[in-house]
Amino acid sequence: MKHISLLAVFCCIIALTACDKQKLPYDLEGVERGVIINISKVAGTSTTLSTDVNAGDYQVELSVPNYYQGDMSMFKEAQLMAVYTDGEGNKTPAYVVEGITEFPATLKLNIKDVISKCGKSSIEIGDRIEFTPCYTLKSGTQVDGWSELMGFNNVRFTWKLDNGATHAYRVSYTAFAPFYKEHYQGKDLPQTYGVCDVTQITDLPEAKWIPAGVTADDLVGLKIEGDIFFGGDTFLVWINTQDFTLIVPDQVICPGFTYGSYGTYDGCMEDGEGEVDTLNETLTFYMYSVWGPYSFGSDTITIDFSGNN
């Protein structure tokens, strides 16, 4: 899948550059010679958002992957953007750190200052702050990690870092409502494409999929079954109750799927991630679906457990 995706990108670039002085809504030269900045939470620091603006230890690290950094000779400086989402879904962005020129960079964040820059004075249950890196090129081109028109940038980079982890374009802190483990299961649960059945399991994912510092007691395993992508799908995800993100390992979700004259292959899930909304009791995950040598592209699935409360 990754080879096909890169080939498609390469072909698009050729097509664009072949056009005679085609007018584009962005600086193609800047895009081609940009950089990739990874962001992660510093181990041992806060993983969720407190409603007490003076509490918590919030630290993130920005790094540039060795093999996928792009052209650093074009780089001028980076910024950290906060995107504040309130309980009604309204988003407010703000640059909260500027002038970052060396990597890796560890940034200690004052949440009271962060929300002030986003025009807020308090945090309510259900509010979320997402941090994403931005950067400026020497040409003056500004590449933001989030925009009102496009949402988050670099969402589908699946490149691996030196430690084997997948590139991350943002980190998220949410002021979570209480989590009721028993609610996250049931039959005929509403999901994006119909209904599905969810049962809880005691199995654990392979160790390579478990983030550092997360233990078996932190995980809630879910087996999801339903006609979602290929028909008769079955796949596993785990809720990480430290920060209510989802662990979504690469896996076969529909063995031996046949699609017309294209042949019979296993339907697979790759490069998944997701999160739990404990206020509305929904589970949302993002992933690629793959069928043999073909890709069905990325998708977003939301399962609604609110009827179980």
Side-chain angles (χ1 to χ4, degrees):
M1 177 201 68
K2 295 183 179 69
H3 296 296
I4 293 174
S5 298
L6 290 174
L7 178 61
V9 171
F10 179 69
C11 291
C12 288
I13 292 174
I14 290 176
L16 288 172
T17 54
C19 296
D20 183 22
K21 296 183 180 179
Q22 181 179 359
K23 187 69 174 178
L24 298 174
Y26 53 85
D27 178 2
L28 180 59
E29 184 74 5
V31 172
E32 289 181 318
R33 298 189 182 182
V35 298
I36 294 298
I37 302 175
N38 185 71
I39 185 169
S40 60
K41 297 177 183 178
V42 174
T45 61
S46 298
T47 57
T48 61
L49 188 61
S50 172
T51 54
D52 181 353
V53 298
N54 297 305
D57 176 18
Y58 301 92
Q59 297 185 46
V60 299
E61 181 180 88
L62 302 185
S63 60
V64 177
N66 286 332
Y67 302 107
Y68 306 107
Q69 63 183 21
D71 188 349
M72 288 298 289
S73 69
M74 304 289 291
F75 173 81
K76 179 181 179 182
E77 68 170 37
Q79 307 86 28
L80 183 69
M81 175 185 284
V83 182
Y84 193 107
T85 305
D86 63 24
E88 296 181 354
N90 301 308
K91 295 182 181 295
T92 307
Y95 296 116
V96 294
V97 181
E98 301 184 63
I100 304 165
T101 56
E102 296 184 0
F103 301 96
T106 299
L107 309 177
K108 187 174 177 63
L109 305 171
N110 182 315
I111 289 297
K112 186 175 183 178
D113 178 63
V114 167
I115 68 170
S116 176
K117 289 179 178 177
C118 293
K120 309 291 182 180
S121 59
S122 63
I123 297 171
E124 306 294 334
I125 292 293
D127 290 358
R128 171 179 300 172
I129 303 176
E130 295 163 288
F131 294 99
T132 186
C134 311
Y135 60 86
T136 307
L137 298 177
K138 291 178 180 177
S139 65
T141 298
Q142 178 67 29
V143 181
D144 284 338
W146 182 90
S147 68
E148 185 175 1
L149 178 63
M150 298 298 294
F152 284 100
N153 192 13
N154 298 342
V155 172
R156 284 301 160 198
F157 283 150
T158 58
W159 299 329
K160 301 296 184 183
L161 308 180
D162 296 339
N163 62 3
T166 301
H167 161 78
Y169 61 92
R170 57 143 196 174
V171 294
S172 177
Y173 297 90
T174 300
F176 289 101
F179 174 72
Y180 300 102
K181 174 182 174 180
E182 64 274 14
H183 290 179
Y184 292 81
Q185 57 189 325
K187 289 187 173 295
D188 296 326
L189 295 165
Q191 52 94 357
T192 303
Y193 298 117
V195 297
C196 65
D197 298 338
V198 179
T199 54
Q200 294 190 2
I201 59 174
T202 57
D203 307 66
L204 295 176
E206 293 182 54
K208 66 180 181 180
W209 295 103
I210 302 177
V214 175
T215 69
D217 291 339
D218 296 321
L219 300 178
V220 177
L222 304 177
K223 180 180 181 180
I224 301 171
E225 300 173 278
D227 292 342
I228 299 177
F229 304 107
F230 304 98
D233 307 325
T234 298
F235 51 97
L236 307 179
V237 303
W238 282 263
I239 298 173
N240 173 5
T241 58
Q242 281 196 11
D243 62 2
F244 297 101
T245 56
L246 296 181
I247 297 172
V248 188
D250 294 350
Q251 59 194 286
V252 174
I253 63 178
C254 186
F257 174 72
T258 300
Y259 184 64
S261 61
Y262 290 97
T264 299
Y265 300 93
D266 288 343
C268 300
M269 173 186 293
E270 293 186 3
D271 298 312
E273 63 172 337
E275 57 206 7
V276 180
D277 179 344
T278 59
L279 181 62
N280 297 300
E281 295 196 316
T282 59
L283 176 156
T284 299
F285 60 94
Y286 322 94
M287 41 69 71
Y288 273 112
S289 60
V290 182
W291 171 59
Y294 308 101
S295 171
F296 283 125
S298 60
D299 214 335
T300 300
I301 305 298
T302 298
I303 302 174
D304 187 353
F305 297 89
S306 62
N308 292 340
N309 57 26

